[in-house]
Amino acid sequence: MRKPEQISSAGEKNSNNNNKLRKGLWSPEEDDKLMNYMLNNGQGCWSDVARNAGLQRCGKSCRLRWINYLRPDLKRGAFSPQEEELIIHLHSLLGNRWSQIAARLPGRTDNEIKNFWNSTVKKRLKNMTSSSTPSPNTSDSSFELKDNSSNMQEATRGLNIIPCRQLETNAIFSTYNLHDSSPTSIQSNTAALNNHMNLRGPLPAMFDHHGALNNIMFGPNGYNNLNPNINPSSSCMSQEIGVHGGDHGLFFGESGVFSGVNISAEAEIFVPPLESISTTEESYKTDQNSYNNIVNNITGIVNCNNNMIKAENLQGHHGVENFFQTELTAGEWDLDDLMKDVSSFPFLDFQIE
DNA sequence: AATAGACGCAACCGCAGGTGC
DNA sequence: GGCACCTGCGGTTGCGTCTAT
């Protein structure tokens, strides 16, 4: 940690008090000042916050302190196994996009997750990969798929295949298709999957009555990438990879809760972005990068049509308009609350402690 | 008990993107 | 368009604490 009494010699252009800005650890008095100011005035320009709160800190430092430590909605303490699981899964999808991972973990900061990953998970991953001898198949990051049947085998390699009921296919309402199926992308995605399997074991997956691979769970809490405020009372969600014969895309379960990522045999893919917890279709579109990142990761897992993923436009299916008009707000959602219903979630193949 | 090394984590740094003038 | 400034992000640093010897 930094020395608490250190004074930076470098001033900030908008700085106060003769450019003598404190650096290093925050004192309790400084915390009080910042906390009181934020609670009374709310967040504004951080340079103003630093100035008006009487802090000899740069705005950047104030922002960091608030976000990472003082924010009232922060969760303290060690990561729960559920959170850990979720972080691992999200990281396998999102990579080092800590802020996006943090956005899916209520009460946790990107810095916290980053530290957790770098200190704990990364180490464990390293240990596990060094102690295990990966099979040629699983270490091959550029598997070739010859036909649909073998493609299916290949795509589901490493997955626990569990029979499950038919999905609520009549609730399907949207399809998003992939644009990038480059070898590089597939390679990195496959590597991510291999990492996951090395670390956590096979991914749980399920087939529906079509023989379609329907479900890959990301975390025992069944998180998906949508805001559970959509239906806070039944937030048992999953991310799914479906391999259907049809043009099926985005699934909603009986409760109307979005249930995941679906990839059809036509290689149509939809992954819900967290940022699409947005109120307009326009803002939804601006999140295409996030979309693509996740979607690209999925390609490495299931790429069932000779490594070719069709690229089509976002198509309007039933209900998509309602989806965009839904009042969705990012905010407080309690992980424990979300966990309540998980054990009853039909696609789950594990028990919550 | 003393010491060294490993670990955890708060905080800094540099960069990129957005915005307003 | 150029510039200054703000914000947010990911990578990195370095100090306090823990643990093994």
Side-chain angles (χ1 to χ4, degrees):
Chain A
M1 283 171 252
R2 313 281 170 167
K3 293 177 181 176
E5 299 306 321
Q6 181 183 358
I7 301 289
S8 168
S9 58
E12 199 184 50
K13 288 183 179 175
N14 278 354
S15 64
N16 55 1
N17 297 335
N18 304 322
N19 288 342
K20 296 292 184 182
L21 297 178
R22 287 176 56 88
K23 296 173 78 175
L25 292 182
W26 281 64
S27 68
E29 292 75 23
E30 287 179 305
D31 282 346
D32 283 345
K33 282 182 181 178
L34 180 57
M35 176 75 92
N36 288 334
Y37 181 88
M38 292 300 293
L39 293 178
N40 291 329
N41 301 282
Q43 181 179 327
C45 172
W46 284 108
S47 296
D48 292 340
V49 170
R51 204 170 21 243
N52 296 337
L55 292 162
Q56 290 183 305
R57 296 273 182 175
C58 67
K60 205 171 178 176
S61 180
C62 292
R63 174 186 162 269
L64 207 65
R65 185 61 176 173
W66 174 256
I67 288 175
N68 286 339
Y69 192 80
L70 296 176
R71 235 171 54 198
D73 60 333
L74 284 180
K75 188 186 288 184
R76 305 285 182 192
F79 284 91
S80 69
Q82 289 77 27
E83 287 176 306
E84 186 179 335
E85 184 91 13
L86 181 58
I87 290 169
I88 291 164
H89 282 304
L90 288 173
H91 187 273
S92 71
L93 291 174
L94 297 167
N96 292 0
R97 292 179 178 82
W98 306 116
S99 62
Q100 292 192 29
I101 294 173
R104 292 162 172 82
L105 280 150
R108 300 296 186 180
T109 69
D110 54 352
N111 205 39
E112 198 175 9
I113 294 169
K114 179 172 58 183
N115 284 334
F116 174 69
W117 181 268
N118 287 331
S119 63
T120 306
V121 182
K122 214 170 175 179
K123 202 176 309 162
R124 192 192 311 162
L125 177 64
K126 187 180 176 183
N127 289 339
M128 292 187 72
T129 51
S130 62
S131 63
S132 67
T133 308
S135 71
N137 275 347
T138 54
S139 62
D140 178 11
S141 60
S142 58
F143 57 88
E144 293 288 334
L145 305 180
K146 303 302 181 189
D147 54 57
N148 277 346
S149 59
S150 61
N151 289 352
M152 181 73 78
Q153 290 178 346
E154 200 62 39
T156 58
R157 170 166 38 82
L159 305 178
N160 291 331
I161 306 304
I162 301 166
C164 74
R165 66 177 191 176
Q166 181 181 3
L167 291 174
E168 295 295 322
T169 51
N170 56 355
I172 298 163
F173 78 92
S174 181
T175 301
Y176 178 73
N177 295 300
L178 187 66
H179 290 259
D180 180 11
S181 59
S182 67
T184 305
S185 172
I186 292 168
Q187 196 165 8
S188 64
N189 296 330
T190 310
L193 174 62
N194 289 334
N195 278 344
H196 171 95
M197 290 191 292
N198 285 332
L199 190 63
R200 308 300 306 178
L203 291 164
M206 299 177 185
F207 278 74
D208 71 9
H209 76 297
H210 297 303
L213 171 62
N214 258 333
N215 209 29
I216 290 183
M217 294 298 177
F218 294 97
N221 44 15
Y223 261 61
N224 74 354
N225 289 319
L226 281 185
N227 190 311
N229 286 343
I230 296 170
N231 190 339
S233 65
S234 57
S235 301
C236 38
M237 300 166 285
S238 70
Q239 294 200 10
E240 301 175 329
I241 291 181
V243 184
H244 283 257
D247 60 346
H248 300 156
L250 183 60
F251 284 82
F252 269 68
E254 291 170 347
S255 61
V257 175
F258 173 74
S259 56
V261 177
N262 178 54
I263 301 175
S264 78
E266 301 295 322
E268 294 167 346
I269 300 176
F270 183 93
V271 180
L274 173 76
E275 294 74 8
S276 69
I277 306 167
S278 38
T279 54
T280 66
E281 186 163 6
E282 190 57 37
S283 56
Y284 175 90
K285 287 173 181 172
T286 65
D287 292 317
Q288 288 298 310
N289 285 341
S290 302
Y291 259 113
N292 291 337
N293 285 329
I294 304 173
V295 166
N296 289 345
N297 278 312
I298 298 299
T299 31
I301 301 173
V302 179
N303 189 352
C304 290
N305 197 1
N306 296 329
N307 280 344
M308 292 300 294
I309 303 293
K310 283 203 311 186
E312 295 176 10
N313 294 326
L314 183 65
Q315 297 172 353
H317 288 255
H318 344 291
V320 65
E321 297 83 1
N322 288 338
F323 172 63
F324 288 119
Q325 290 167 4
T326 305
E327 179 73 22
L328 302 176
T329 57
E332 319 90 30
W333 30 302
D334 180 57
L335 185 61
D336 293 330
D337 233 15
L338 297 176
M339 296 293 296
K340 284 178 183 170
D341 295 331
V342 172
S343 60
S344 62
F345 189 60
F347 301 135
L348 291 178
D349 65 335
F350 45 78
Q351 296 297 318
I352 304 303
E353 295 175 5

